[in-house]
Protein backbone atom coordinates (compact mmCIF):
# COMPACT_ATOMS: atom_id res chain seq x y z
CA UNK A 1 0.00 0.00 0.00
CA UNK A 2 1.22 3.49 -0.88
CA UNK A 3 1.07 6.95 0.63
CA UNK A 4 -0.96 8.96 -1.89
CA UNK A 5 -2.12 12.57 -2.18
CA UNK A 6 -5.22 13.36 -4.24
CA UNK A 7 -5.82 16.92 -5.44
CA UNK A 8 -9.24 17.88 -6.82
CA UNK A 9 -12.37 16.31 -5.35
CA UNK A 10 -14.75 17.07 -8.21
CA UNK A 11 -17.28 14.75 -9.87
CA UNK A 12 -14.36 12.51 -10.89
CA UNK A 13 -11.74 13.05 -8.19
CA UNK A 14 -14.04 12.55 -5.18
CA UNK A 15 -14.87 8.90 -5.95
CA UNK A 16 -11.39 8.16 -7.39
CA UNK A 17 -9.74 9.27 -4.14
CA UNK A 18 -12.38 7.21 -2.31
CA UNK A 19 -11.38 4.05 -4.18
CA UNK A 20 -7.74 4.59 -3.15
CA UNK A 21 -8.78 4.85 0.50
CA UNK A 22 -11.03 1.78 0.23
CA UNK A 23 -8.13 -0.24 -1.24
CA UNK A 24 -6.12 0.57 1.90
CA UNK A 25 -3.79 3.27 0.58
CA UNK A 26 -2.87 6.06 2.99
CA UNK A 27 -4.65 9.02 1.36
CA UNK A 28 -4.37 12.76 1.99
CA UNK A 29 -6.76 14.93 -0.04
CA UNK A 30 -6.79 18.59 -1.03
CA UNK A 31 -9.66 20.54 -2.58
CA UNK A 32 -9.82 24.29 -3.25
CA UNK A 33 -13.34 24.49 -1.78
CA UNK A 34 -12.96 23.05 1.74
CA UNK A 35 -16.60 21.91 2.05
CA UNK A 36 -15.97 19.03 -0.39
CA UNK A 37 -12.91 17.97 1.61
CA UNK A 38 -15.10 17.64 4.71
CA UNK A 39 -17.69 15.60 2.82
CA UNK A 40 -14.91 13.28 1.58
CA UNK A 41 -13.52 12.80 5.09
CA UNK A 42 -17.03 12.03 6.37
CA UNK A 43 -17.30 9.22 3.82
CA UNK A 44 -13.76 7.79 3.59
CA UNK A 45 -10.79 7.00 5.83
CA UNK A 46 -8.05 9.53 5.14
CA UNK A 47 -6.66 12.93 5.92
CA UNK A 48 -6.86 16.37 4.32
CA UNK A 49 -4.44 19.25 3.90
CA UNK A 50 -4.81 23.00 3.47
CA UNK A 51 -2.61 23.27 0.35
CA UNK A 52 -1.47 20.93 -2.45
CA UNK A 53 2.09 21.23 -1.08
CA UNK A 54 1.05 19.99 2.36
CA UNK A 55 -1.00 17.15 0.87
CA UNK A 56 2.05 16.05 -1.16
CA UNK A 57 4.49 15.96 1.79
CA UNK A 58 5.79 12.41 2.16
CA UNK A 59 3.55 11.04 -0.62
CA UNK A 60 4.97 8.46 -3.05
CA UNK A 61 2.28 9.40 -5.57
CA UNK A 62 0.35 12.63 -6.08
CA UNK A 63 -2.81 12.36 -8.20
CA UNK A 64 -4.40 15.50 -9.68
CA UNK A 65 -7.83 15.81 -11.32
CA UNK A 66 -8.77 19.46 -11.87
CA UNK A 67 -10.29 21.44 -14.76
CA UNK A 68 -7.89 22.68 -17.44
CA UNK A 69 -4.22 23.56 -18.13
CA UNK A 70 -4.18 26.68 -15.94
CA UNK A 71 -5.99 24.94 -13.08
CA UNK A 72 -3.39 22.19 -13.25
CA UNK A 73 -0.49 24.67 -13.17
CA UNK A 74 -2.08 26.40 -10.17
CA UNK A 75 -2.16 23.22 -8.05
CA UNK A 76 1.24 21.88 -9.16
CA UNK A 77 3.53 24.93 -9.40
CA UNK A 78 4.42 27.76 -6.99
CA UNK A 79 5.23 27.75 -3.29
CA UNK A 80 1.96 26.04 -2.31
CA UNK A 81 1.90 23.68 -5.32
CA UNK A 82 2.34 19.91 -5.17
CA UNK A 83 5.87 19.93 -6.64
CA UNK A 84 7.04 22.07 -3.68
CA UNK A 85 6.04 19.33 -1.25
CA UNK A 86 7.11 16.24 -3.19
CA UNK A 87 10.30 14.34 -2.35
CA UNK A 88 12.79 13.20 -5.00
CA UNK A 89 11.67 9.94 -6.61
CA UNK A 90 7.93 10.51 -6.06
CA UNK A 91 5.56 10.60 -9.05
CA UNK A 92 2.78 13.02 -10.04
CA UNK A 93 -0.05 11.34 -11.97
CA UNK A 94 -2.30 13.87 -13.69
CA UNK A 95 -5.85 12.72 -14.49
CA UNK A 96 -7.04 16.12 -15.77
CA UNK A 97 -8.02 16.28 -19.45
CA UNK A 98 -5.48 18.88 -20.50
CA UNK A 99 -3.15 19.66 -23.42
CA UNK A 100 -0.17 17.51 -24.38
CA UNK A 101 1.90 20.69 -24.13
CA UNK A 102 1.18 21.30 -20.46
CA UNK A 103 2.07 17.66 -19.78
CA UNK A 104 5.45 18.13 -21.49
CA UNK A 105 6.00 21.45 -19.68
CA UNK A 106 5.29 19.94 -16.24
CA UNK A 107 7.31 16.80 -16.96
CA UNK A 108 10.37 18.96 -17.67
CA UNK A 109 9.96 20.88 -14.42
CA UNK A 110 9.36 17.61 -12.55
CA UNK A 111 12.60 16.16 -13.96
CA UNK A 112 14.54 19.23 -12.75
CA UNK A 113 13.32 18.35 -9.22
CA UNK A 114 14.01 14.60 -9.67
CA UNK A 115 10.27 13.90 -9.71
CA UNK A 116 8.30 11.69 -12.08
CA UNK A 117 5.35 12.89 -14.16
CA UNK A 118 2.67 10.89 -15.98
CA UNK A 119 -0.21 12.38 -17.98
CA UNK A 120 -3.09 10.00 -17.36
CA UNK A 121 -6.48 11.33 -18.54
CA UNK A 122 -9.49 9.10 -18.06
CA UNK A 123 -12.61 8.02 -19.91
CA UNK A 124 -15.73 6.42 -18.49
CA UNK A 125 -17.48 9.42 -16.95
CA UNK A 126 -18.95 9.89 -13.51
CA UNK A 127 -20.30 6.33 -13.44
CA UNK A 128 -16.87 4.93 -14.36
CA UNK A 129 -15.27 6.93 -11.54
CA UNK A 130 -17.90 5.86 -9.01
CA UNK A 131 -17.71 2.18 -10.01
CA UNK A 132 -13.90 2.20 -10.24
CA UNK A 133 -14.12 1.20 -13.92
CA UNK A 134 -12.27 4.00 -15.70
CA UNK A 135 -10.11 3.67 -18.80
CA UNK A 136 -6.78 5.39 -18.15
CA UNK A 137 -4.47 6.39 -21.05
CA UNK A 138 -0.97 7.20 -19.89
CA UNK A 139 2.04 9.07 -21.25
CA UNK A 140 5.47 9.10 -19.64
CA UNK A 141 8.49 7.01 -18.74
CA UNK A 142 7.94 3.29 -18.35
CA UNK A 143 9.71 3.11 -14.97
CA UNK A 144 7.29 5.65 -13.45
CA UNK A 145 4.35 3.93 -15.15
CA UNK A 146 5.23 0.52 -13.71
CA UNK A 147 5.30 1.95 -10.20
CA UNK A 148 2.06 3.91 -10.57
CA UNK A 149 -0.02 1.29 -12.39
CA UNK A 150 -0.95 -0.82 -9.31
CA UNK A 151 -2.12 2.35 -7.52
CA UNK A 152 -4.15 3.66 -10.49
CA UNK A 153 -5.70 0.19 -10.65
CA UNK A 154 -7.89 1.12 -7.63
CA UNK A 155 -10.28 2.95 -9.99
CA UNK A 156 -9.53 1.48 -13.42
CA UNK A 157 -10.65 -1.41 -15.61
CA UNK A 158 -8.11 -0.57 -18.33
CA UNK A 159 -4.73 1.18 -17.99
CA UNK A 160 -2.29 1.51 -20.86
CA UNK A 161 1.03 3.26 -21.39
CA UNK A 162 0.71 4.93 -24.82
CA UNK A 163 4.20 6.39 -25.24
CA UNK A 164 6.26 9.36 -24.03
CA UNK A 165 4.82 12.16 -21.94
CA UNK A 166 1.85 13.80 -23.71
CA UNK A 167 0.74 10.52 -25.32
CA UNK A 168 -2.00 10.00 -22.74
CA UNK A 169 -3.51 13.40 -23.58
CA UNK A 170 -3.17 12.75 -27.33
CA UNK A 171 -5.05 9.44 -26.89
CA UNK A 172 -7.79 11.21 -24.94
CA UNK A 173 -8.09 13.62 -27.90
CA UNK A 174 -8.66 10.61 -30.19
CA UNK A 175 -11.41 9.53 -27.76
CA UNK A 176 -13.10 12.95 -27.87
CA UNK A 177 -12.93 13.11 -31.70
CA UNK A 178 -14.79 9.77 -31.79
CA UNK A 179 -17.39 10.95 -29.29
CA UNK A 180 -18.12 14.31 -30.99
CA UNK A 181 -19.01 12.86 -34.38
CA UNK A 182 -20.73 9.87 -32.87
CA UNK A 183 -23.07 11.84 -30.60
CA UNK A 184 -24.02 14.20 -33.44
CA UNK A 185 -24.81 11.16 -35.61
CA UNK A 186 -26.91 9.65 -32.85
CA UNK A 187 -28.72 12.96 -32.29
CA UNK A 188 -29.54 13.22 -36.02
CA UNK A 189 -30.72 9.59 -36.10
CA UNK A 190 -33.08 10.08 -33.16
CA UNK A 191 -34.32 13.42 -34.52
CA UNK A 192 -35.02 11.76 -37.87
CA UNK A 193 -36.79 8.79 -36.22
CA UNK A 194 -39.10 11.16 -34.36
CA UNK A 195 -39.84 13.20 -37.51
CA UNK A 196 -40.49 9.97 -39.42
CA UNK A 197 -43.14 8.96 -36.90
CA UNK A 198 -41.17 5.94 -35.66
CA UNK A 199 -41.05 4.77 -32.06
CA UNK A 200 -37.52 5.97 -31.23
CA UNK A 201 -37.07 3.40 -28.44
CA UNK A 202 -38.04 0.54 -30.73
CA UNK A 203 -35.73 1.85 -33.47
CA UNK A 204 -32.81 1.96 -31.01
CA UNK A 205 -33.66 -1.48 -29.64
CA UNK A 206 -33.38 -3.05 -33.07
CA UNK A 207 -30.40 -1.12 -34.48
CA UNK A 208 -28.42 -1.58 -31.24
CA UNK A 209 -28.07 -5.24 -32.25
CA UNK A 210 -26.55 -4.26 -35.60
CA UNK A 211 -23.57 -2.29 -36.91
CA UNK A 212 -24.75 1.05 -35.44
CA UNK A 213 -24.32 -0.14 -31.85
CA UNK A 214 -22.26 2.10 -29.55
CA UNK A 215 -21.82 3.02 -25.86
CA UNK A 216 -23.53 6.35 -26.56
CA UNK A 217 -26.50 4.63 -28.22
CA UNK A 218 -26.87 2.11 -25.39
CA UNK A 219 -26.42 4.61 -22.55
CA UNK A 220 -27.87 7.84 -23.89
CA UNK A 221 -30.74 7.21 -26.32
CA UNK A 222 -33.42 7.05 -23.62
CA UNK A 223 -32.46 10.35 -21.98
CA UNK A 224 -32.03 11.97 -25.43
CA UNK A 225 -35.55 10.93 -26.43
CA UNK A 226 -36.84 12.22 -23.08
CA UNK A 227 -34.93 15.53 -23.47
CA UNK A 228 -33.11 15.03 -20.13
CA UNK A 229 -29.60 16.42 -19.93
CA UNK A 230 -29.03 17.47 -16.29
CA UNK A 231 -26.33 14.87 -15.62
CA UNK A 232 -23.15 13.43 -17.13
CA UNK A 233 -20.28 15.13 -18.98
CA UNK A 234 -20.89 18.86 -19.32
CA UNK A 235 -20.90 20.66 -22.69
CA UNK A 236 -18.56 23.29 -21.19
CA UNK A 237 -15.99 20.56 -20.48
CA UNK A 238 -16.46 19.06 -23.94
CA UNK A 239 -15.79 22.44 -25.57
CA UNK A 240 -12.62 22.74 -23.48
CA UNK A 241 -11.52 19.32 -24.77
CA UNK A 242 -12.44 20.18 -28.39
CA UNK A 243 -10.54 23.46 -28.19
CA UNK A 244 -7.42 21.59 -26.98
CA UNK A 245 -7.61 18.96 -29.72
CA UNK A 246 -8.43 21.41 -32.55
CA UNK A 247 -5.38 23.38 -31.48
CA UNK A 248 -3.28 20.19 -31.58
CA UNK A 249 -4.73 19.36 -35.05
CA UNK A 250 -3.67 22.78 -36.35
CA UNK A 251 -0.12 21.86 -35.29
CA UNK A 252 -0.03 18.29 -36.61
CA UNK A 253 -2.02 18.98 -39.81
CA UNK A 254 -4.88 16.53 -39.09
CA UNK A 255 -8.12 17.34 -40.94
CA UNK A 256 -11.08 17.39 -38.50
CA UNK A 257 -13.96 19.02 -40.42
CA UNK A 258 -16.79 17.21 -38.62
CA UNK A 259 -15.24 17.72 -35.18
CA UNK A 260 -14.87 21.46 -35.87
CA UNK A 261 -18.52 21.64 -36.91
CA UNK A 262 -19.71 19.73 -33.84
CA UNK A 263 -17.72 22.19 -31.71
CA UNK A 264 -19.84 24.99 -33.21
CA UNK A 265 -23.02 23.01 -32.49
CA UNK A 266 -21.90 22.74 -28.85
CA UNK A 267 -21.38 26.52 -28.83
CA UNK A 268 -25.04 26.84 -29.87
CA UNK A 269 -26.07 24.50 -27.04
CA UNK A 270 -24.16 26.76 -24.63
CA UNK A 271 -26.12 29.67 -26.11
CA UNK A 272 -29.34 27.78 -25.25
CA UNK A 273 -28.20 27.75 -21.59
CA UNK A 274 -26.85 24.20 -21.84
CA UNK A 275 -23.27 24.68 -20.68
CA UNK A 276 -23.74 22.19 -17.84
CA UNK A 277 -25.94 19.79 -19.84
CA UNK A 278 -24.61 16.37 -20.80
CA UNK A 279 -22.91 16.17 -24.23
CA UNK A 280 -25.88 14.19 -25.58
CA UNK A 281 -27.81 17.51 -25.57
CA UNK A 282 -26.84 18.01 -29.25
CA UNK A 283 -30.32 16.67 -30.00
CA UNK A 284 -31.89 19.63 -28.12
CA UNK A 285 -30.37 21.92 -30.76
CA UNK A 286 -32.03 19.91 -33.55
CA UNK A 287 -35.37 19.72 -31.73
CA UNK A 288 -35.55 23.33 -30.57
CA UNK A 289 -37.82 24.39 -33.43
CA UNK A 290 -39.91 21.19 -33.47
N1 LIG B 1 -17.07 14.51 -15.51
C1 LIG B 1 -16.74 13.63 -16.44
O1 LIG B 1 -17.58 12.83 -16.91
C2 LIG B 1 -15.31 13.53 -16.94
C3 LIG B 1 -14.95 12.41 -17.70
C4 LIG B 1 -13.64 12.30 -18.14
C5 LIG B 1 -12.72 13.32 -17.87
N2 LIG B 1 -13.12 14.43 -17.15
C6 LIG B 1 -12.10 15.47 -16.89
O2 LIG B 1 -11.67 15.36 -15.53
C7 LIG B 1 -11.38 16.67 -15.03
C8 LIG B 1 -12.23 16.93 -13.79
O3 LIG B 1 -13.61 16.83 -14.19
P1 LIG B 1 -14.79 16.85 -13.10
O4 LIG B 1 -16.02 16.45 -13.83
O5 LIG B 1 -14.39 16.11 -11.87
O6 LIG B 1 -14.86 18.42 -12.82
P2 LIG B 1 -15.52 19.19 -11.58
O7 LIG B 1 -16.57 18.38 -10.93
O8 LIG B 1 -15.87 20.55 -12.09
O9 LIG B 1 -14.29 19.31 -10.55
C9 LIG B 1 -13.16 20.06 -10.84
C10 LIG B 1 -12.21 19.96 -9.66
O10 LIG B 1 -11.06 20.74 -9.94
C11 LIG B 1 -10.89 21.71 -8.92
N3 LIG B 1 -10.32 22.92 -9.51
C12 LIG B 1 -10.69 23.51 -10.68
N4 LIG B 1 -9.93 24.58 -10.89
C13 LIG B 1 -9.08 24.68 -9.85
C14 LIG B 1 -8.04 25.59 -9.51
N5 LIG B 1 -7.74 26.63 -10.31
N6 LIG B 1 -7.38 25.40 -8.35
C15 LIG B 1 -7.69 24.36 -7.56
N7 LIG B 1 -8.64 23.45 -7.83
C16 LIG B 1 -9.32 23.62 -8.96
C17 LIG B 1 -12.27 21.95 -8.37
O11 LIG B 1 -12.21 22.52 -7.09
P3 LIG B 1 -13.51 23.24 -6.45
O12 LIG B 1 -14.29 22.17 -5.77
O13 LIG B 1 -12.94 24.23 -5.50
O14 LIG B 1 -14.26 23.90 -7.59
C18 LIG B 1 -12.80 20.51 -8.37
O15 LIG B 1 -12.26 19.78 -7.29
C19 LIG B 1 -11.62 17.65 -16.18
O16 LIG B 1 -10.41 17.91 -16.84
C20 LIG B 1 -12.59 16.90 -17.07
O17 LIG B 1 -12.50 17.32 -18.43
C21 LIG B 1 -14.38 14.54 -16.67
Amino acid sequence: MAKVAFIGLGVMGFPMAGHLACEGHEVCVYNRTPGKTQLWEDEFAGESAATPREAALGAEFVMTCVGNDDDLRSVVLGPDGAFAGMAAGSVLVDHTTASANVARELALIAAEHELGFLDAPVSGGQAGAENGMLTVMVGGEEAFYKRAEPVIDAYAKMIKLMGPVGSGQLTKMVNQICIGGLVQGLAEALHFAQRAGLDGHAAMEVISKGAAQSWQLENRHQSMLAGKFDFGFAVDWMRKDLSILLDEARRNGAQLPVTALVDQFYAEVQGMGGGRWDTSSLIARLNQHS
Side-chain angles (χ1 to χ4, degrees):
M1 292 297 123
K3 195 166 181 326
V4 187
F6 204 107
I7 295 166
L9 301 176
V11 166
M12 302 298 282
F14 190 102
M16 289 163 78
H19 282 294
L20 289 169
C22 292
E23 288 257 312
H25 295 295
E26 198 181 321
V27 183
C28 183
V29 296
Y30 164 82
N31 196 69
R32 177 179 57 182
T33 307
K36 284 193 204 163
T37 315
Q38 189 55 55
L39 285 175
W40 190 90
E41 285 185 285
D42 291 346
E43 199 171 329
F44 301 107
E47 293 181 348
S48 67
T51 65
R53 184 188 70 79
E54 286 171 39
L57 287 172
E60 297 161 73
F61 300 95
V62 176
M63 282 33 190
T64 47
C65 189
V66 293
N68 60 24
D69 285 18
D70 284 341
D71 299 330
L72 179 60
R73 289 190 187 96
S74 77
V75 295
V76 170
L77 303 175
D80 284 330
F83 280 172
M86 290 170 70
S90 57
V91 181
L92 192 135
V93 180
D94 177 40
H95 292 303
T96 309
T97 303
S99 69
N101 276 350
V102 78
R104 295 179 194 117
E105 170 193 320
L106 294 178
L108 278 178
I109 300 170
E112 286 165 12
H113 294 83
E114 294 175 53
L115 307 173
F117 182 92
L118 297 170
D119 52 302
V122 302
S123 175
Q126 181 175 357
E130 288 171 355
N131 301 331
M133 299 288 276
L134 291 169
T135 294
V136 188
M137 28 215 133
V138 187
E141 287 180 29
E142 191 169 9
F144 296 135
Y145 173 78
K146 281 196 169 147
R147 281 170 52 207
E149 189 189 16
V151 182
I152 298 171
D153 189 58
Y155 39 78
K157 70 167 181 202
M158 169 79 188
I159 315 168
K160 191 165 172 64
L161 180 63
M162 301 305 301
V165 71
S167 305
Q169 295 297 354
L170 292 172
T171 309
K172 174 76 183 186
M173 293 176 207
V174 173
N175 185 77
Q176 300 305 72
I177 293 166
C178 286
I179 288 179
L182 209 152
V183 174
Q184 175 63 17
L186 182 59
E188 290 184 18
L190 289 168
H191 175 69
F192 177 91
Q194 288 171 317
R195 287 295 178 109
L198 287 169
D199 175 342
H201 296 282
M204 292 300 116
E205 186 189 356
V206 66
I207 73 166
S208 70
K209 302 293 178 280
Q213 190 274 343
S214 70
W215 185 97
Q216 298 289 342
L217 189 157
E218 296 274 0
N219 291 281
R220 291 289 183 266
H221 79 265
Q222 283 175 330
S223 47
M224 287 169 87
L225 285 168
K228 283 187 185 294
F229 310 114
D230 56 344
F231 66 96
F233 183 57
V235 166
D236 287 343
W237 280 145
M238 185 61 167
R239 285 215 76 210
K240 180 253 307 179
D241 295 359
L242 293 173
S243 154
I244 291 170
L245 70 86
L246 289 168
D247 196 37
E248 189 70 38
R250 274 188 285 277
R251 268 194 297 276
N252 70 19
Q255 299 294 307
L256 304 178
V258 172
T259 309
L261 190 59
V262 172
D263 180 50
Q264 292 310 302
F265 294 162
Y266 278 125
E268 288 179 33
V269 175
Q270 285 175 316
M272 293 165 65
R276 297 297 299 179
W277 293 350
D278 182 64
T279 41
S280 55
S281 55
L282 282 173
I283 194 172
R285 184 187 148 271
L286 298 173
N287 283 343
Q288 64 184 323
H289 302 301
S290 298

